[in-house]
Amino acid sequence: MKVAFFSTKPYEKEYFDGLNAPYGHEFCYFEPRLSAQTVAFAEGCGAVCIFVNDDGSAPVLKKLSGMGIRLVALRCAGFNNVDLKTGLDLKVVRVPAYSPYAVAEHTVALILTLNRKTHRAFNRVRESNYSLNGLVGFDLHGKTVGLVGTGKIGLCTARILAGFGCRLLGYDVYQNPEFTAMGGTYTSLEELYRQSDILSLHTPLTPQTFHMINAQTIRQMKDGVMIINTSRGKLIDTRDLIEALKHHKVGYVGLDVYEEEADLFFEDLSNRMIEDEVFLRLLTFPNVLVTGHQAFLTREALTGIAQTTLQNLSDFEAGKPLANEVKA
Ligand code: NAD
C-alpha cells in the first residue's frame, strides 16, 4: 500500500525501510507534520502514518477522507492527537506497546545522572577540573522510591530499582500482583508522597492525572525529594515545580517530557530564540535534567514500532481484523 509518512526522522526511516521488504509497502516520506497545510501531500496514498505531534483533528481527517484515505496509522501508543469522533469512514490504528525496558532504563538513567552528577563530572574532567566539590550523591540502596503507575513501564522500572536495593512503594488504580511479588507495597497516594525519596511517574495523561504534581501535592512530599517524569508533561504543573525548586523543597528533577513540548521537542532549534520562559527558567537549575522525549529511543523499541505499524498496514490492506484499532 502507498503510505504518506509524516514527521519523518532519519532514525525512523531506517527501521521502516529496513523491515518493509516482506510487507512491500510504498512509503512517501515527508518531513513536515500532518496539518491542514500539508495534508495534500497524501494525495494518491491509501493511508497516512503519523506520530505524536501530527494534527489528526476533524478538519484534517475530513480532507484525508475526501482524498479517499481510509486508514490513519499512528506509530506511537498515544492517540490524543486524533479525533476519533468524526463519524468518517476512517480507521485508526496504533502501536499499543513496544519496549517498556527502553523507557524504564531511561528513567533510571535520569535518577543516576541527577544523583551522581555524571553530566557535570563529564564536563569538569574534559576541562581538567578534577575537583569533587558539589558532586556528593547518595546511596540508592535503602532509599524509598514511589512509583505512580505500575503498568508495563512502572513495573520494569520497579524491577530495576529492586536490584539497587530500593524500597518500593506503588500507587495505581489497578493493583498489579507482579509488583507485590517483587517486594513492592501499594499505598495511598498521600502516603507515597510522604515517604518517597524518589518519585517516578508512569501513568497515562487523563483528566484525573492532569497536573497531579502541583503546589498542594508537592507540599506533602519529603524535603529534597527527587521527581522523575518520563510519562507525559502535563502530569506536572511546571510553574509550581519551579517554585518548589526555588525554595529547595524539591531537590532534583528529571524530565523526559514537558507540558509544552510540542513547540520544542524533536527539532533542532539551536539557531532560534526559545520563547517559552517557563522552560528556560527550568533549564537554569543545576539540579534539573531535561531530555527531549527520547526515553523510547532504542533500537529494540524502533524495531517494535516499525514491525507493528507495518503489520497494522498489511492487516488493513488484506481486510483482516485490526488488532490495534482505536475507537472513540
Ligand atoms: P500502561 O498502560 O502499561 O500503564 C499505565 C498504568 O497507569 C496502569 O497500570 C494504569 O492502571 C495506571 N493508571 C491509569 N490511570 C491512573 C491514575 N489516575 N492513577 C494511578 N494510576 C493510573 O502504560 P505504560 O506502557 O506503562 O506507559 C506509561 C506511560 O508512559 C504512558 O502514559 C505513556 O504516555 C508514557 N510513555 C512515554 C514514553 C517516552 O518516550 N517518554 C514512551 C512510551 C510511553
Side-chain angles (χ1 to χ4, degrees), residues 51 77-78 80 96-100 102-103 106-107 147-156 171-176 186 189 201-210 212 229-233 235 256-257 261 266 291-297:
F51 198 50
N80 50 292
Y98 44 92
S99 170
V103 184
H106 191 80
T107 302
L147 297 149
V148 184
T150 53
K152 292 181 286 296
I153 295 168
L155 203 65
C156 270
Y171 172 77
D172 199 306
V173 285
Y174 161 77
Q175 300 204 347
N176 190 335
Y186 280 108
L189 205 45
L201 304 177
H202 302 286
T203 55
L205 175 65
T206 64
Q208 289 73 42
T209 59
F210 174 80
M212 66 182 296
N229 186 9
T230 56
S231 195
R232 281 292 178 265
L235 298 185
D256 186 51
V257 287
E261 69 176 52
F266 306 124
T291 53
H293 206 141
Q294 70 171 78
F296 74 99
L297 200 65

Side-chain angles (χ1 to χ4, degrees), residues 62-281:
K62 223 176 208 170
K63 283 192 183 159
L64 288 173
S65 179
M67 289 156 62
I69 286 171
R70 297 281 167 266
L71 181 71
V72 174
L74 283 152
R75 52 183 191 278
C76 54
F79 47 87
N80 50 292
N81 53 331
V82 177
D83 188 337
L84 299 173
K85 292 184 179 159
T86 59
L88 295 165
D89 178 19
L90 202 60
K91 302 259 188 226
V92 179
V93 288
R94 67 173 180 141
V95 183
Y98 44 92
S99 170
Y101 309 105
V103 184
E105 288 168 13
H106 191 80
T107 302
V108 177
L110 291 176
I111 294 173
L112 289 172
T113 308
L114 279 166
N115 174 18
R116 304 308 298 270
K117 304 166 179 62
T118 44
H119 56 315
R120 299 180 67 192
F122 174 83
N123 289 325
R124 283 191 192 185
V125 169
R126 288 173 77 94
E127 291 181 3
S128 302
N129 174 0
Y130 305 107
S131 161
L132 301 184
N133 293 336
L135 300 186
V136 178
F138 57 83
D139 284 8
L140 266 182
H141 182 89
K143 294 296 179 296
T144 300
V145 182
L147 297 149
V148 184
T150 53
K152 292 181 286 296
I153 295 168
L155 203 65
C156 270
T157 308
R159 202 170 284 122
I160 299 169
L161 292 169
F164 279 96
C166 294
R167 174 176 169 248
L168 302 171
L169 294 180
Y171 172 77
D172 199 306
V173 285
Y174 161 77
Q175 300 204 347
N176 190 335
E178 278 189 65
F179 180 67
T180 31
M182 73 173 73
T185 306
Y186 280 108
T187 180
S188 67
L189 205 45
E190 292 72 22
E191 202 52 40
L192 184 140
Y193 289 150
R194 206 176 63 78
Q195 292 193 34
S196 298
D197 299 296
I198 299 170
L199 187 81
S200 193
L201 304 177
H202 302 286
T203 55
L205 175 65
T206 64
Q208 289 73 42
T209 59
F210 174 80
H211 280 187
M212 66 182 296
I213 304 300
N214 55 48
Q216 188 253 326
T217 53
I218 291 172
R219 260 197 298 277
Q220 301 172 42
M221 297 177 196
K222 275 191 176 178
D223 290 347
V225 64
M226 180 188 289
I227 298 178
I228 305 288
N229 186 9
T230 56
S231 195
R232 281 292 178 265
K234 286 187 165 56
L235 298 185
I236 298 182
D237 183 324
T238 316
R239 286 186 165 81
D240 285 0
L241 185 68
I242 288 171
E243 281 308 306
L245 278 160
K246 276 161 59 180
H247 295 98
H248 305 280
K249 171 70 187 174
V250 170
Y252 313 78
V253 171
L255 304 177
D256 186 51
V257 287
Y258 167 61
E259 49 181 328
E260 302 302 333
E261 69 176 52
D263 295 331
L264 298 167
F265 289 1
F266 306 124
E267 302 301 329
D268 178 0
L269 305 180
S270 53
N271 281 323
R272 290 201 220 154
M273 238 171 47
I274 306 289
E275 288 175 11
D276 184 333
E277 306 273 345
V278 175
F279 186 68
L280 291 176
R281 179 68 181 103

